[in-house]
Amino acid sequence: MTITCANIITYAMRQTKVLGSGKNTTAAELSDGMVALQSFYDLMVADGLFGRLTDKYKTDDYEAAEFERVTAPSGVSITFPSTLSDDIEGGSRPPRDLAIIETIVNGVRVVKIWDRTAWVELTNLASIDEAPLSGRGAWALGAAFAISGTFIAMFGEGADITPSVAALGRRFMGSLSGKQTTQDGRKVAYY
């Protein structure tokens, strides 16, 4: 079953009792929820949750590397790699879990993270899109969204954040931040 952005908004609203069990979101609540959810993902990137980015400017077609922010003019194609060379072990490897790449081509920004097996876009989301990171626990992602500043700013007056929802949301966010590194693994030489 695909978990959509609308599902995550609904889960967060139910966990905070903004929306009763069995009730559906209104069009206005869903629209407000999408603004808050997109901001939630944007803040994850801005806060460096997925790592720091190295800036590159390219005027020719280019395959980006993990942890790069590539800026290019119109007409330049920036691709996201499915395999990378492994400088430590030799050969190739998939991108690191939760690695990030940001591209800005002709002023259009796209941010993607590698979520276990594929690049997943964090920008330009619609309510019917699969929610990024939902495969890591949709209910927990809903809790993380529910305790975020963006959700509280949008629905705060009616939100009832219980200790168990807060703990689940913090645990989900902690599981993401514990995986991140912007440096390749290094072999240590022992003497």
Side-chain angles (χ1 to χ4, degrees), residues 71-88:
T71 305
S74 179
V76 174
S77 175
I78 308 298
T79 56
F80 292 77
S82 58
T83 58
L84 300 153
S85 65
D86 189 344
D87 296 334
I88 294 162

Side-chain angles (χ1 to χ4, degrees), residues 99-121:
I100 184 171
I101 296 176
E102 179 177 344
T103 63
I104 306 167
V105 178
N106 197 32
V108 177
R109 179 177 175 255
V110 173
V111 177
K112 293 184 180 184
I113 58 168
W114 183 264
D115 190 3
R116 296 184 176 141
T117 60
W119 289 105
V120 176
E121 187 167 349

Side-chain angles (χ1 to χ4, degrees), residues 16 142-152 161-162 165-170 173:
T16 59
F145 175 48
I147 66 171
S148 73
T150 61
F151 182 87
I152 293 168
I161 300 171
T162 64
V165 169
L168 182 60
R170 285 191 304 271
M173 294 304 291

Side-chain angles (χ1 to χ4, degrees), residues 5-148:
C5 291
N7 293 136
I8 297 303
I9 293 164
T10 301
Y11 296 165
M13 292 176 74
R14 285 197 177 131
Q15 289 178 68
T16 59
K17 297 176 183 58
V18 171
L19 185 67
S21 182
K23 305 267 186 199
N24 293 320
T25 57
T26 66
E29 288 169 334
L30 186 57
S31 177
D32 289 347
M34 276 308 301
V35 171
L37 185 62
Q38 183 64 69
S39 295
F40 172 66
Y41 288 118
D42 291 345
L43 282 172
M44 285 181 176
V45 173
D47 288 346
L49 180 68
F50 302 111
R52 300 178 128 202
L53 296 169
T54 301
D55 288 309
K56 303 277 183 174
Y57 182 80
K58 298 295 177 179
T59 55
D60 294 318
D61 292 351
Y62 178 71
E63 183 175 82
E66 299 166 311
F67 308 106
E68 285 186 342
R69 177 186 298 115
V70 184
T71 305
S74 179
V76 174
S77 175
I78 308 298
T79 56
F80 292 77
S82 58
T83 58
L84 300 153
S85 65
D86 189 344
D87 296 334
I88 294 162
E89 298 294 329
S92 63
R93 63 169 175 81
R96 298 193 190 300
D97 191 30
L98 297 176
I100 184 171
I101 296 176
E102 179 177 344
T103 63
I104 306 167
V105 178
N106 197 32
V108 177
R109 179 177 175 255
V110 173
V111 177
K112 293 184 180 184
I113 58 168
W114 183 264
D115 190 3
R116 296 184 176 141
T117 60
W119 289 105
V120 176
E121 187 167 349
L122 296 181
T123 47
N124 309 306
L125 296 171
S127 62
I128 61 171
D129 292 339
E130 184 172 353
L133 304 171
S134 61
R136 294 169 184 266
W139 193 250
L141 174 59
F145 175 48
I147 66 171
S148 73

